[in-house]
Amino acid sequence: MTGITPGSTAPAGAAVDAPSSAPGGLVKSVVALDRVVIRLAGDSGDGMQLTGGRFTSETATFGNDLSTLPNFPAEIRAPTGTLPGVSSFQLHFADHDIMTPGDAPDVLIVMNPAALKANLPDLPGGGLLIADADEFTPRNLAKVGYASNPLEDGSLDGWQLVSVPLTSMTTDALADSGLGKKEAERSKNMFTLGLLSWMYHRPTEGTIRFLERQFRRKPQIAAANIAAFRAGYNYGVTTEAFAVSYEIKPAPMAPGKYRNISGNQALALAIVAAGQRSGLPVFLGAYPITPASDVLHELSKHKAFGVRTFQAEDEIAGIGAALGASFGGALGVTTTSGPGVALKSETIGLAVMTELPLVIVDVQRGGPSTGLPTKTEQSDLLQALYGRNGEAPVPVIAPRSPGDCFDAALEAARIALTYRTPVILLSDGYLANGAEPWAVPIIDELPDLRVDFATEPNGEDGEFLPYLRDPETLARAWAVPGTAGLQHRIGGLEKADKTGNISYDADNHDFMVRTRQAKVDGIAASLPPTEVDDPDGDARVAVIGWGSTYGPIGAACRRIRASGRSIAQVHLRHLNPLPADLGEILARYDRVVCPEMNLGQLAMVLRAKFLVDVQSHTQVRGLPFRAAELAAVLQDVIDGTTGTVATSDSSSDTPAQTGAAL
Amino acid sequence: MTAIESTNAHVHDLGMPGNPISAAIADSVAVSGEKQTALKAKDLKTDQEVRWCPGCGDYVILNAVQSFLPSLGIAREDMVIVSGIGCSSRFPYYMNTYGMHSIHGRAPAIATGLAASRPDLSVWVVTGDGDALSIGGNHLIHTLRRNVNLTILLFNNRIYGLTKGQYSPTSEIGKVTKSTPMGSLDHPFNPVSLALGADATFVGRAMDSDRKGLTDVLRQAAEHQGTSLVEIYQNCNIFNDGAFELLKDPATGTQWTIPLVHGEPLVFGPGGASCVVRDEVGGLRIAERNQVDASEIVVHDAHRNDPSYAFALSRLSSQDLRYTPMGVFRSVDKPVYDRMMADQLEEARAERPADLAALLAGGDSWTVS
Ligand SMILES: Cc1ncc(C[n+]2csc(CCOP(=O)(O)OP(=O)(O)O)c2C)c(N)n1
Ligand code: SF4
Ligand SMILES: [Mg+2]
């Protein structure tokens, strides 16, 4: 089997080390690569997410740049061995900075026939395919409609197939562990991880420590998993099946402390940090929903930081409790996904009216209705911007990468506390579960979020005016219950200016509606100038995006530039208010293209606000854009072709559409 | 009063030393002098014009509450009244405390977040039969089962007042209203039964016009640690006038009202002619006193842990109010949600003090130099 290359899209690897000798005189060579994309696929019960997560941690510790794409079914355990039960984890890692989890894998590991069937279409010809031969039984093959065993019938000749009995090698390795066969088999994912760790020169101590910690109370299981992991590694060292291992050097990174982080983790940590930086207790009111629940889980662990988490009876109670806590002076937070935001709309309106700080996190998933719970989408933008009765302006912010969820959530807290307003943070399933290396911030460099509570009367006649505003921010006075002499009543009925008493006066209503809008519009004054990435400086076409499309759009722009063309990239963090300089920036370009994982929601807003003929490019497949496809679209725009762009996407039967598709 | 004092023992200890909330409160007290706890009813009035229809039962309840609250010895700024939407839910505007007139049905949820994060406050919910039992039914039952430290006043006028007279979840079957010209079809809730079904730790019932009875139940509710629900029968003289006349009219009231006094036998009716006894299947039934032995008469025990006795009491009523127990059905001590939440924060802090830098770095960081 010498001569296996990893199928990497990287330049042909060169052997760097002198061939190393393995026991038994086996000669193995090491090939240097600049990047690789690996996909692990198996049954939901095979532990692919855990295995991928561990491989990611090893890779992060090693110092590669990386990006991940977990992809799992909505069902907890679909019937074993079936197509709906397939779960996969893709990891892209490199010796340079990368922006996406990779369009397609170079290496595919399949734990059963269903995983092969579901994932093979994504593996380019010539790619390395590793299969657990033990699971390709007649019964498992029949479950997914294979008439004969593809590992044996020559149908996989177009790929570099390595068929290995992963399951039986695992059980053999655990023969003396005292575990039954079924139980021992469950460690096959760790055997596979060991093999991959050898193949890619990953450090192994972290995984061993992890397993010890994870199974602290079950030492026998811990020992078995570690033994399987080591056996997999040693198998790599000794086997003739794999003659080559690969080296991907660490990526250059600015000095500092790093960790691997997922979007949901980063978001949760930011909420803890916001509490600490404001000095306020944090109150999270939430109802479980994919893909937002992990934020609730994570925050529930941080009670020592004064974080109260409340699992409410529904989304309405979650946000209601958070708003009640805000009234009491806490940083109120509620986390959910699109269907939950729909339920929270009325309370968001109340927060707009009562002008209390509140952070609403929407980790978007495929919609409408229950939609695609475990898949990603950006289709809640218009809901976030406009999904309420009345004129109810709400600032909207979107992070662009897993690590950026931290900064974006802190920014949401800043706006909420400074302007006394609900703020919607639009993350999505891809950011939530995806991971990347993250420079651990230095506490003193985090924004100062301290607030000024009212402590004495502010009116001319010695009275307290809860709706007297700061002339600069238009934020109203915030007096918390318990503050002597400042008792007041707030609520959803229209407020009289300054006093906050009920008012049905026509002019007052007109004034208050405009004032609430002006307050939110005024946030734009606190935003830095919009960054335009145009390294060549002569781009005629700009591509504009928001949220998690940052990586794929950025990667596509690199491809465009590598082809000798120029393109400008603008990526929005603030969706409401839009940056003050945005209209002027967009007007500079001949064409503006807006790729979105919806049917053109930002494009519609940009067209309406700036009268710019934005060209919308959309895809709603529950998956992030592929950089190559986007690059093709952008290239056609630059080269003057418009209209529908056919994509060379072998796995998707519906070509992506260009043009405003509203 | 001891119970209230122990609430205040938590005053401003929000588990975050030196937090801005405690600081603001301390500053305000420094500005205005000592906390004012010796209040009069008029101290609780606001300058807002009360806008209920003349003759509405809500006025009587407002007066009773304003007269009674000072006796609790709580400063105005430490009281918060959260309401939903409905005529009754205008209540906070007329109380010189902190208040939030929120959205329809959600007051218990909002109050839960406030009470859970501010155990130093005395938090009250004012709600109507539509607000609490229709649109907000879910929040009500979950608040009751959690036992957050709240006092919920449910103004039951058996009608939707604010929306001008549709039938409500407590209206009797066959109610003819604008939305039910041929009579309503659905069976009503008995709010007390519902609350007991949710294992509420305190459930009482009072009449708007009965100042003494109402004050008595309110006092016990306020002193109770955990969620208290007080159903207050309230006359809507515009859309459901006379709904409680059977109980209010002295001629019939004594006959149909069963006063609940803890430790006293359940005897009622003109001349104490009627009583409550156990029935054959473990429930309760009404009997004529001269038909039973004195030892058979049930002695009211509001502190019984098992809610089924209190539930059986609540089921003595028919939907036309014949046999209506008034007073405290149940009052039992159970762990209080906000206390337990605060304790968990304490415990977590004792286990591992908060260290943000360590938290952000996580367990698997590496350094690039
Ligand atoms: C979401 C929503 N739905 C409906 C209404 C209209 N509405 C206001 S009050 C009310 C019923 C109030 O009845 P109840 O709670 O019994 O209060 P009452 O007026 O009788 O005191 C309704 C349906 C509303 N304000 N909000
Ligand atoms: S409509 Fe009925 S409940 Fe509402 S204020 Fe008038 S009398 Fe009172
Ligand atoms: Mg009513």
Side-chain angles (χ1 to χ4, degrees):
Chain A
M1 296 295 291
T2 34
I4 285 180
T5 64
S8 163
T9 54
V16 282
D17 285 358
S20 61
S21 288
L26 194 68
V27 177
K28 297 220 166 193
S29 57
V30 177
V31 172
L33 299 172
D34 63 351
R35 65 192 188 92
V36 67
V37 179
I38 293 182
R39 186 185 294 176
L40 289 151
D43 198 66
S44 309
D46 287 341
M48 291 298 100
Q49 300 306 323
L50 177 86
T51 314
R54 277 319 309 164
F55 194 75
T56 304
S57 292
E58 292 179 1
T59 297
T61 324
F62 182 72
N64 292 125
D65 195 12
L66 64 87
S67 173
T68 69
L69 178 63
N71 192 358
F72 43 87
E75 294 74 21
I76 302 305
R77 286 280 170 91
T80 318
T82 60
L83 286 172
V86 174
S87 165
S88 73
F89 188 100
Q90 184 163 312
L91 167 68
H92 182 190
F93 57 105
D95 67 0
H96 56 278
D97 79 307
I98 51 170
M99 306 191 76
T100 73
D103 287 2
D106 304 313
V107 183
L108 175 64
I109 297 104
V110 294
M111 305 302 285
N112 67 8
L116 175 69
K117 189 147 216 180
N119 288 281
L120 190 64
D122 293 345
L123 185 67
L128 176 59
L129 174 64
I130 302 173
D132 180 2
D134 292 327
E135 291 296 317
F136 283 69
T137 59
R139 196 158 161 265
N140 286 351
L141 290 165
K143 270 188 198 167
V144 290
Y146 277 122
S148 64
N149 187 346
L151 303 185
E152 290 161 3
D153 66 8
S155 61
L156 299 173
D157 284 353
W159 292 272
Q160 301 174 56
L161 171 66
V162 186
S163 166
V164 262
L166 293 170
T167 306
S168 51
M169 284 194 294
T170 307
T171 47
D172 287 352
L174 300 183
D176 302 330
S177 66
L179 294 181
K181 186 160 168 290
K182 272 267 156 291
E183 246 179 320
E185 275 181 10
R186 297 180 59 189
S187 296
K188 68 184 170 193
N189 61 333
M190 286 300 121
F191 185 94
T192 311
L193 180 63
L195 173 60
L196 287 173
S197 301
W198 166 78
M199 251 175 104
Y200 292 97
H201 297 207
R202 302 292 96 178
T204 54
E205 315 79 47
T207 295
I208 291 170
R209 251 186 290 128
F210 166 83
L211 290 170
E212 283 166 354
R213 236 186 302 137
Q214 189 75 0
F215 298 108
R216 223 180 9 247
R217 290 193 187 83
K218 294 179 188 156
Q220 195 187 17
I221 305 284
N225 274 302
I226 293 169
F229 176 65
R230 291 210 166 109
Y233 192 95
N234 292 336
Y235 169 70
V237 174
T238 51
T239 183
E240 290 184 25
F242 297 94
V244 188
S245 66
Y246 304 96
E247 186 179 68
I248 295 96
K249 291 228 160 62
M253 291 194 193
K257 193 184 263 189
Y258 288 83
R259 66 175 284 184
N260 181 47
I261 203 158
S262 74
N264 272 350
Q265 266 175 333
L267 216 159
L269 294 187
I271 291 167
V272 176
Q276 298 290 298
R277 297 297 286 170
S278 60
L280 302 181
V282 171
F283 186 96
L284 172 76
Y287 188 75
I289 184 168
T290 304
S293 300
D294 280 341
V295 183
L296 166 64
H297 304 161
E298 182 68 28
L299 281 171
S300 304
K301 295 184 210 155
H302 304 310
K303 296 182 169 49
F305 292 85
V307 176
R308 285 176 166 81
T309 53
F310 171 66
Q311 182 177 314
E313 58 271 22
D314 59 24
E315 279 83 355
I316 302 174
I319 188 173
L323 185 66
S326 286
F327 184 44
L331 173 60
V333 181
T334 187
T335 50
T336 187
S337 188
V341 175
L343 287 171
K344 292 174 196 289
S345 312
E346 192 190 12
T347 313
I348 299 175
L350 178 64
V352 167
M353 204 66 158
T354 52
E355 303 194 37
L356 286 168
L358 185 65
V359 175
I360 300 127
V361 176
D362 176 0
V363 185
Q364 300 166 95
R365 63 191 219 180
S369 187
T370 311
L372 301 176
T374 58
K375 310 289 180 205
T376 197
E377 208 160 280
Q378 296 184 298
S379 44
D380 292 347
L381 177 61
L382 293 180
Q383 174 175 233
L385 290 172
Y386 304 117
R388 289 167 293 283
N389 62 305
E391 295 287 353
V394 171
V396 179
I397 293 173
R400 59 181 175 186
S401 72
D404 188 48
C405 287
F406 185 85
D407 295 330
L410 273 181
E411 172 69 349
R414 176 190 76 86
I415 292 177
L417 292 169
T418 309
Y419 296 88
R420 319 265 147 92
T421 176
V423 177
I424 296 181
L425 183 69
L426 281 179
S427 179
D428 65 30
Y430 166 59
L431 296 177
N433 294 317
E436 66 177 358
W438 179 60
V440 177
I442 294 167
I443 310 291
D444 291 340
E445 291 171 6
L446 296 176
D448 180 350
L449 299 177
R450 277 175 297 183
V451 295
D452 273 328
F453 288 125
T455 55
E456 50 189 290
N458 56 2
E460 282 171 10
D461 304 323
E463 77 278 43
F464 176 60
L465 301 172
Y467 279 74
L468 191 68
R469 292 170 193 281
D470 177 297
E472 202 176 307
T473 59
L474 298 183
R476 74 173 186 89
W478 185 11
V480 296
T483 312
L486 306 192
Q487 299 89 267
H488 63 280
R489 277 64 54 193
I490 56 176
L493 282 171
E494 184 59 283
K495 308 267 155 298
D497 183 30
K498 298 189 182 69
T499 64
N501 290 331
I502 301 174
S503 168
Y504 303 118
D505 181 82
D507 290 340
N508 176 75
H509 178 56
D510 190 84
F511 174 78
M512 292 299 274
V513 166
R514 289 174 201 281
T515 303
R516 285 186 288 265
Q517 183 68 48
K519 179 175 85 165
V520 171
D521 291 346
I523 295 167
S526 71
L527 308 182
T530 305
E531 271 176 48
V532 181
D533 181 32
D534 178 15
D536 302 314
D538 61 352
R540 301 309 318 143
V541 172
V543 56
I544 184 165
W546 66 280
S548 73
T549 51
Y550 175 70
I553 295 175
C557 288
R558 285 182 181 178
R559 287 172 188 242
I560 295 285
R561 290 169 194 146
S563 76
R565 296 170 177 84
S566 296
I567 190 158
Q569 185 187 1
V570 177
H571 207 77
L572 297 178
R573 153 162 296 175
H574 292 269
L575 283 320
N576 191 38
L578 289 165
D581 55 2
L582 187 61
E584 182 268 316
I585 289 171
L586 296 183
R588 278 190 231 151
Y589 296 92
D590 295 344
R591 297 233 59 134
V592 175
V593 185
C594 182
E596 292 179 85
M597 297 186 289
N598 57 41
L599 294 187
Q601 301 192 6
L602 177 65
M604 186 180 89
V605 172
L606 295 176
R607 284 168 163 257
K609 292 237 166 167
F610 303 117
L611 282 176
V612 171
D613 184 15
V614 175
Q615 188 171 329
S616 176
H617 174 71
T618 63
Q619 201 173 75
V620 275
R621 303 176 59 244
L623 290 165
F625 280 106
R626 294 192 173 119
E629 287 168 27
L630 265 184
V633 171
L634 296 174
Q635 183 172 322
D636 284 349
V637 175
I638 293 169
D639 296 349
T641 355
T642 50
T644 304
V645 177
T647 56
S648 54
D649 171 12
S650 55
S651 69
S652 118
D653 43 12
T654 46
Q657 299 295 311
T658 340
L662 292 167
Chain B
M1 295 296 296
T2 46
I4 295 290
E5 273 152 27
S6 74
T7 316
N8 281 348
H10 278 243
V11 165
H12 313 142
D13 171 19
L14 304 173
M16 290 183 81
N19 90 66
I21 301 174
S22 315
I25 292 171
D27 285 355
S28 73
V29 174
V31 170
S32 66
E34 279 303 284
K35 273 197 174 286
Q36 277 296 337
T37 50
L39 302 174
K40 299 222 159 49
K42 69 167 175 34
D43 297 324
L44 287 165
K45 295 194 192 324
T46 64
D47 59 358
Q48 297 298 294
E49 185 194 337
V50 186
R51 298 198 197 180
W52 288 308
C53 308
C56 173
D58 289 347
Y59 283 98
V60 199
I61 303 173
L62 177 66
N63 285 335
V65 171
Q66 284 172 337
S67 311
F68 146 77
L69 274 184
S71 70
L72 293 178
I74 303 174
R76 292 183 294 195
E77 63 267 22
D78 291 334
M79 292 188 261
V80 187
I81 303 175
V82 182
S83 66
I85 298 291
C87 294
S88 36
S89 288
R90 293 295 177 95
F91 200 89
Y93 290 113
Y94 312 132
M95 293 290 298
N96 193 354
T97 61
Y98 282 87
M100 191 194 288
H101 176 219
S102 72
I103 44 177
H104 202 19
R106 317 302 173 193
I110 292 170
T112 291
L114 178 64
S117 55
R118 292 287 306 274
D120 58 312
L121 299 171
S122 168
V123 183
W124 298 66
V125 168
V126 173
T127 179
D129 43 319
D131 196 57
L133 301 171
S134 225
I135 191 164
N138 198 30
H139 306 308
L140 182 76
I141 55 174
H142 288 279
T143 302
L144 293 171
R145 86 177 158 85
R146 277 190 198 105
N147 206 30
V148 188
N149 207 6
L150 290 174
T151 307
I152 303 175
L153 309 184
L154 195 170
F155 292 22
N156 182 7
N157 53 14
R158 307 190 78 180
I159 203 83
Y160 284 2
L162 192 68
T163 45
K164 304 200 170 156
Q166 302 82 1
Y167 79 112
S168 91
T170 56
S171 299
E172 57 281 15
I173 296 180
K175 184 88 174 166
V176 174
T177 69
K178 282 179 198 144
S179 60
T180 49
M182 293 173 71
S184 62
L185 302 174
D186 26 341
H187 190 82
F189 271 140
N190 175 328
V192 168
S193 301
L194 182 83
L196 290 166
D199 223 345
T201 54
F202 184 101
V203 185
R205 180 187 283 145
M207 184 66 79
D208 56 1
S209 53
D210 173 17
R211 169 75 68 101
K212 193 186 155 294
L214 175 58
T215 304
D216 190 46
V217 175
L218 286 178
R219 177 182 316 287
Q220 295 181 57
E223 287 175 358
H224 177 71
Q225 297 297 297
T227 311
S228 318
L229 179 100
V230 181
E231 180 190 22
I232 306 174
Y233 285 154
Q234 171 242 327
N235 193 38
C236 167
N237 53 311
I238 302 296
F239 297 112
N240 201 16
D241 196 20
F244 306 102
E245 226 19 63
L246 184 79
L247 304 176
K248 289 189 184 194
D249 182 343
T252 49
T254 9
Q255 188 181 350
W256 301 113
T257 305
I258 309 174
L260 301 176
V261 182
H262 178 73
E264 298 287 323
L266 293 168
V267 171
F268 66 101
S274 307
C275 62
V276 177
V277 297
R278 304 224 162 265
D279 74 6
E280 300 67 37
V281 288
L284 301 173
R285 68 177 171 84
I286 309 292
E288 287 315 305
R289 236 170 125 185
N290 58 15
Q291 308 283 307
V292 297
D293 190 82
S295 64
E296 289 179 65
I297 302 175
V298 174
V299 174
H300 182 49
D301 180 4
H303 303 325
R304 198 178 290 202
N305 201 35
D306 176 3
S308 45
Y309 156 72
F311 187 81
L313 264 183
S314 75
R315 301 315 292 172
L316 291 173
S317 319
S318 64
Q319 49 168 313
D320 66 3
L321 302 179
R322 269 152 230 269
Y323 301 118
T324 301
M326 300 293 278
V328 176
F329 287 74
R330 184 177 200 228
S331 172
V332 296
D333 281 334
K334 282 238 183 104
V336 179
Y337 188 85
D338 34 288
R339 289 293 160 71
M340 292 191 288
M341 204 179 213
D343 289 348
Q344 282 196 342
L345 262 61
E346 264 329 300
E347 201 182 311
R349 221 173 271 131
E351 224 165 81
R352 192 184 306 161
D355 177 348
L356 185 59
L359 176 68
L360 297 187
D364 273 328
S365 64
W366 68 95
T367 302
V368 175
S369 46

